Every structure is written in C-alpha cells, then in structure tokens.
Amino acid sequence: MNYTKKLSHIAQGLEPAPLVLKGAHVLDVGNEMWSIEDIAISDGYIIGVGKYEGLEEIDYTGKYIVPGFIDAHLHLESTLVNPRELVHEASREGTLTYIVDPHEAGNVAGLKGIQYMIDETRDARGDVYVMAPSCVPAVPGEDNGALLDCDTLSELCNNPAILGLGEVMDCYSVIGADADMIGKLNAYKNRVLDGHIIGLSPKQLASYRLAGITTNHECITYEEAKEQVRQGLYVWIREGSAAHNLEAIVTGIVDAESPVDRYGFCTDDKHIEDIRREGHISYNIRKAIELGLNPIETYKMASTYPAQCYGLKDIGMIAPGYKANLVILNDESNVSIYDVIYNGVIIDRHGAYESSRRPVPEELLYTINIGDFKKSQLSLAVDGEHPVINIVPGQIVTAKTIESVPSENGVFTPNSEFNKITCIERYKASGRNGVGVLKGFDIHNGAIATSFAHDSHNLIVVGDNDDDMMIAIERIRNIGGGYVIVRSGTVVGELPLEIMGLITNEPHHTVDKKVADMKEIAYDMGIRRGLDPFINLSFLALTVIPEIRITTKGVVEC
C-alpha cells in the first residue's frame, strides 16, 4: 500500500472510506481485548479502526472480527488436487495465509515441480508463501527424482516467490556441520529457516538452533514443545489428517499456564474432505479453546505470532496499514464463521470452485517408471525372529519390535496380522525395492498401493498376499501413479494422480468421493477406523521420523 493524501484524509475521518465494517467486537491483539469499533477499508487495506463513515457500510453489530488465520506449515500436494483448490476450501474456513513447503513436488521433479506449485498458487484465494525445500532427498542416498544441493538452493533463493528455507529434516547433517548443509543454511541466513525436530537431546537441539533454525512442527508432547520454546524456537502445533498433536500440547500449556507467544497452528497434511467436514485452522482454534485456552490468545496463535515469526508485517493484526484479511465470527469461542474477507472483499463461502485448467508440463505427467518388476522381488527371507514395523495409532511415528513372523521354508508368508510391505524405486527403473513386515495395518485378502510415499515418493505397497500386491503395482504403473486397492484379485478402487504421481486436475469433489469410497473399502478389508489407510501408508517410507521405516533398500531404523 502506498501512502497518499487521500488515505490520510480517510484515516482522519475527513473523507468517507470506500468500505466500512460497522459496530463489531474487534480484536485488539496489542492490548488483548475486544472493543466495539468500525473498520475503514480501502484498496484491500485497513485505513483506520474507530468511528468511520463509508461509501459502502456493512453492519456487523454483535459479531466478532479477528485477523485472518495462518497455516504456519503445510504441503499443498497432500490434498491430492490442484493446490488452488485447497486454498479455495480453506479460505471458506478463514485461513487466508499459507506457509507452504513444496518438497513433495521437489523430490519428484526438482525445480520444475516447485515452479509448478508456485505457478498454480499465484492467483489463489489466499496469500501463499513458499519455502524452498531444504532436504531433497530427505537424507543422503535415498532414491528420489531430484537433488537440490547447495548451489541449486542458492539459485532458488533468488526466486521472488521464495520466503525462506523449508523444514530442515536432516538434523544430523546440521549438528554434524555437513558442508553442503552449512552452505544451504548460509544461503538463507537472512530468511526464516523452518525446522523438523524429532528425538534430539537438549544439547543437540542447542546445536540445531545455533544454525539459525527458527521453527518446528513435529512436537508430540508439551514437554518437547516447552524445551524447544526454551531454546528459542517457535512451535507450530499440528493437527492434520494423520498427525494429531494438538490436545497433548494445548493441555500442557493450559495446565502449566504457559505463555503462548512462541506458538502457532499448522495442518502439515490435511485432505480436503477433512477440511470440509471439520474446518482448517478454524478447527485447531476451536479445539484449543474447548481445551481451556484463552480465546484471545488462541486467535493470536492463529495469526499474530506466526506473522511475526515470518516477518509478514502487514498481516496478523487489525490496525491501519494491515491487509484487510479478516474473519467475522458469530461469537467469541465457537469459531462459527459468518463472513470471510480477503483483500477487503467478502469471499463467496458457498460457491463452487471454478478455474480454467492450465496445461500441465508434459514432463510432470505419468512419471512412474519401475521397469519389469517381478513377483520374485516381493520375497522376504526370515530366520526366526524378525524386525517388525508397528503403526502407532494417531501418530506418524512407528515402533520397532522383534517378533516371530509366519514363514514357510524360510520365507515370510504374510497374513492379516503381519502384512507385507514393499517400497519400489519409481524413477529410473532400477529394479530396486525393499521388503519388510508391517503390523497394525491389518489388511485382509488384498493390497493397497500408492505413489504418494513421503518424501521420495517411490511406490509403496502393503498386502497380505503377493498376487494382489502385484496387481496393485501393475495398476499404479498404468494410471501414472495414485492410490489403488485390490481385493481378492480384482482392482476395487483407484484414484489416478497423474501429475508427478502426487496430484490430479480432477475437481476435489470427485477426488473426495473416490477417497471416501476407497477408505470404506479399506475398512471393510480389516483396516481399523481411526487409521487413514492412505496417509498413514504414505508416511511409512519417511526416514526422518522414528523409529523404523521401509525404503527401496530395505527396512531401516531411523
């Protein structure tokens, strides 16, 4: 916003504002109080808060107005659809700013994948800020589709769409002062550096923080969060489709009567059907208030504190010079949304998403290349007790056990308790795949396959028999990536994700219906409700999260 004489006159009440919101309880984040005020708006910015007259006036008497919500960390690819659609849906729920890490696209297609995500969100119904993916691959030596080394990330730093450095997952390269990692950190030393911290001791955390890393979204307990805040980090409290960390952390904050100015909210990964059912950051706010957090502090966690962290000086407050990104609520505590205003304009919260389909770069389409994969590659030799990957309910961490698993002639024979899992290299047709034992997924008489497998996005398949697993693998190849369910020799559900094996240009309502139907099929095949069969499966290859994972090179401890 450029300051002009006209704006000065409007602020002083000497001229009417183009738009005035009248008579609401307005959140004063600086003094932490509500006051009944008018809000004068011009050209998408707040010009004044007080008593104003406008050429257009909207009466919000009895309503509550708060700053637009911020998702402090998310991956748009996890919605499975064009990234503009997530922004469209989440904006209905008051989320108007997004701190996005496109490391899924980066792992598959490098700079071309990242640029695709930037281009697709340029005209989205919200402010999308992009963090440069710091760990592509997640850890050295993984089979993925691209390498973003220090030189490449330094080049990406010059892209005007890039806000800072995305989650630094390779913690041990940081605390081990790896030369390439130091180069990446130094290239972004004047920007915000996002973290990804699991399992570091306090002294290791001190080294990690010393590198300039500012945030973390991986806390599971309040004690973790408290220690990280003590060491100077911002903690983004995550509540997504698979990871549910809010209750434990917020309960700890409430019980300890802890200050919250180093906390915010994020979703990380949340499907659109979940956003439509329960909300986006609005859900995090509502749940935090229900757990006893002060409403004013909760709204600041959803706006003011992450804006301060990322240096976004024109959002997070209702005051002159700030963007008119506002959420109008029916009450203070229930987060019942009446209107949402983005850039000074009331958005249509009930209209369907409409967008012309942009051409997708040819090199981003149908990228599954596994070569001539043979059934014999699914064989797993076992000798007595064997390592088992155990799913932890409600979390994306896993647990390792050593157990006697079913076998015949020294070869693992999966069943509904001990499923077989494989991860297949999908970029260079190397024929490389790892095979392991999975417990807690409980699929019976079938298999599920996906090309959406964090973070390298190789093909990951789980089943209780090799025949169905092979059918799923072949079908994933034919549709260019996505989700496939096979039951008793027949493909009974599929969702093609033809763009990078991650997303589709199909509208979200089509995708939502397919995913919902496929989940019901999966639950009918034995997977317990409360476990997302696709999201939880997608994390089983992520080697930066404890405790044990499957990779193209076999089962590894993390």
Side-chain angles (χ1 to χ4, degrees), residues 112-348:
K112 290 181 180 178
I114 295 167
Q115 191 60 50
Y116 174 81
M117 301 300 289
I118 291 171
D119 291 342
E120 289 298 306
T121 54
R122 205 181 303 278
D123 60 352
R125 195 169 71 177
D127 297 330
V128 177
Y129 296 93
V130 179
M131 308 296 281
S134 65
C135 295
V136 175
V139 295
E142 287 207 2
D143 287 318
N144 71 326
L147 172 65
L148 298 185
D149 58 14
C150 175
D151 291 340
T152 307
L153 281 173
S154 296
E155 174 187 339
L156 188 58
C157 185
N158 297 320
N159 188 318
I162 297 297
L163 180 66
L165 190 65
E167 53 182 308
V168 183
M169 296 180 285
D170 192 356
C171 298
Y172 292 96
S173 287
V174 177
I175 65 178
D178 173 81
D180 189 66
M181 178 58 74
I182 288 176
K184 294 176 184 180
L185 297 172
N186 285 339
Y188 287 79
K189 64 182 178 181
N190 296 320
R191 313 277 189 96
V192 175
L193 313 181
D194 277 339
H196 181 285
I197 305 164
I198 300 177
L200 295 184
S201 70
K203 288 186 177 179
Q204 288 174 324
L205 181 60
S207 170
Y208 188 82
R209 173 68 189 98
L210 190 64
I213 295 167
T214 308
T215 75
N216 183 43
H217 61 279
E218 292 288 345
C219 289
I220 294 175
T221 68
Y222 170 66
E223 290 305 316
E224 284 181 280
K226 178 183 177 183
E227 175 61 22
Q228 291 175 21
V229 167
R230 188 183 75 81
Q231 299 247 30
L233 288 148
Y234 281 86
V235 170
W236 307 142
I237 302 172
R238 177 175 56 189
E239 191 75 8
S241 290
H244 305 283
N245 309 134
L246 187 145
E247 183 169 351
I249 297 174
V250 169
T251 299
I253 290 171
V254 171
D255 290 347
E257 299 182 352
S258 170
V260 296
D261 57 335
R262 303 292 286 190
Y263 290 92
F265 296 115
C266 76
T267 59
D268 201 3
D269 301 282
K270 190 161 189 175
H271 280 182
I272 284 182
E273 73 269 18
D274 294 329
I275 295 171
R276 290 178 67 86
R277 185 182 70 254
E278 63 188 21
H280 194 243
I281 295 300
S282 57
Y283 176 77
N284 298 38
I285 299 168
R286 184 180 307 112
K287 188 168 182 177
I289 293 172
E290 289 172 355
L291 290 169
L293 207 56
N294 175 274
I296 289 177
E297 286 287 5
T298 308
Y299 291 118
K300 292 178 72 174
M301 289 168 60
S303 56
T304 311
Y305 301 140
Q308 291 172 349
C309 173
Y310 287 104
L312 303 176
K313 297 180 180 180
D314 58 356
I315 61 173
M317 192 171 188
I318 302 176
Y322 284 75
K323 295 180 83 170
N325 291 355
L326 305 167
V327 183
I328 293 85
L329 304 169
N330 287 309
D331 54 60
E332 178 184 2
S333 300
N334 295 319
V335 203
S336 169
I337 297 175
Y338 182 82
D339 270 335
V340 177
I341 295 177
Y342 173 60
N343 284 346
V345 178
I346 298 176
I347 69 169
D348 181 358

Side-chain angles (χ1 to χ4, degrees), residues 365-429:
L365 291 169
Y366 300 98
T367 58
I368 304 299
N369 181 20
I370 61 173
D372 183 21
F373 189 84
K374 295 179 173 58
K375 183 177 176 180
S376 60
Q377 292 176 248
L378 295 177
S379 180
L380 175 64
V382 294
D383 182 14
E385 294 189 328
H386 197 81
V388 177
I389 304 168
N390 289 261
I391 289 176
V392 177
Q395 304 295 341
I396 58 175
V397 297
T398 57
K400 175 186 175 183
T401 55
I402 304 294
E403 302 186 44
S404 295
V405 300
S407 64
E408 185 175 324
N409 298 322
V411 176
F412 172 50
T413 54
N415 57 28
S416 59
E417 179 183 7
F418 293 98
N419 291 163
K420 180 178 286 186
I421 186 168
T422 186
C423 185
I424 306 168
E425 191 277 317
R426 59 160 274 198
Y427 298 100
K428 304 177 182 68

